[in-house]
Every structure is written in C-alpha cells, then in structure tokens.
Amino acid sequence: MEAVHYPGLPGHPGHEAASRQMSGFGGMLSAQVRGGREQAMGVAARVRLFTRATSLGGPHSLIEHRASVEGSKTRTPQNLLRLSIGLENAADLIADLEQALTPIL
C-alpha cells in the first residue's frame, strides 16, 4: 500500500479531532495502492469477501474504485480504493485483502 486514510490511525491528520468526537473510529477507510490504477483495479477484482459496490453503512463489506464511479473529470487518485467494513470476521477480511495484494507486493 502507498497510503491508508483512516482517522483511527495515530498518524492520520484528523486523528486528534476524531478521538475527541467519536467513541470509535468507524468502518470506512480508503487506501492508495502502490502502482496506480491497474494495480488498484486488480486488488478490487481479486478480493473474495468484499463486494464491489458503492454504498455506506450496510452489514456487508464493500470495496470500490472511486475514480471509476466518479468518471473522467474526477480528482480522486486513480490508485484509491474505498472500503466499507461490514460484519464479517475481521481476520477473514484482513486475509482477503492480503491475498488480493500479494501479486503486487
């Protein structure tokens, strides 16, 4: 990964504010995949537990390539994936992401 954007991480620029405002950090995050658009799309295609969809707050874990959803005039980085974490087992989701990332590591 090139970067992970999540206010629950101590190094995130919004961590201090999120710590004051929330009792937990929530299940939304984004990550930038090293290598660009094709590598990000490949990760999204290789996950097995995440569903490729645009939505928030449901019980299932979702992944989306945001720039594709926004179209050609997007300012979203081409290597960014947005993840909405659902109710699946955390270790299973981590393992799924690891296997999806392995080809580009």
Side-chain angles (χ1 to χ4, degrees):
M1 284 292 176
E2 184 176 302
V4 175
H5 307 285
Y6 181 66
L9 295 173
H12 186 278
H15 180 75
E16 186 177 319
S19 295
R20 287 191 313 270
Q21 297 171 356
M22 299 184 236
S23 60
F25 295 104
M28 290 296 302
L29 64 122
S30 62
Q32 289 178 258
V33 178
R34 186 171 287 116
R37 178 186 174 89
E38 295 307 314
Q39 286 75 12
M41 296 290 280
V43 170
R46 287 188 293 273
V47 292
R48 298 179 185 135
L49 297 179
F50 288 82
T51 299
R52 290 176 77 173
T54 300
S55 182
L56 302 171
H60 303 289
S61 294
L62 307 174
I63 190 168
E64 74 169 344
H65 182 255
R66 191 73 206 147
S68 294
V69 174
E70 294 175 350
S72 62
K73 296 187 180 188
T74 185
R75 293 176 51 187
T76 299
Q78 291 295 317
N79 65 337
L80 186 126
L81 295 173
R82 186 172 78 168
L83 294 89
S84 174
I85 306 304
L87 299 176
E88 297 88 354
N89 179 282
D92 291 343
L93 294 173
I94 291 167
D96 190 28
L97 288 170
E98 287 175 341
Q99 69 79 26
L101 287 162
T102 297
I104 60 171
L105 295 178

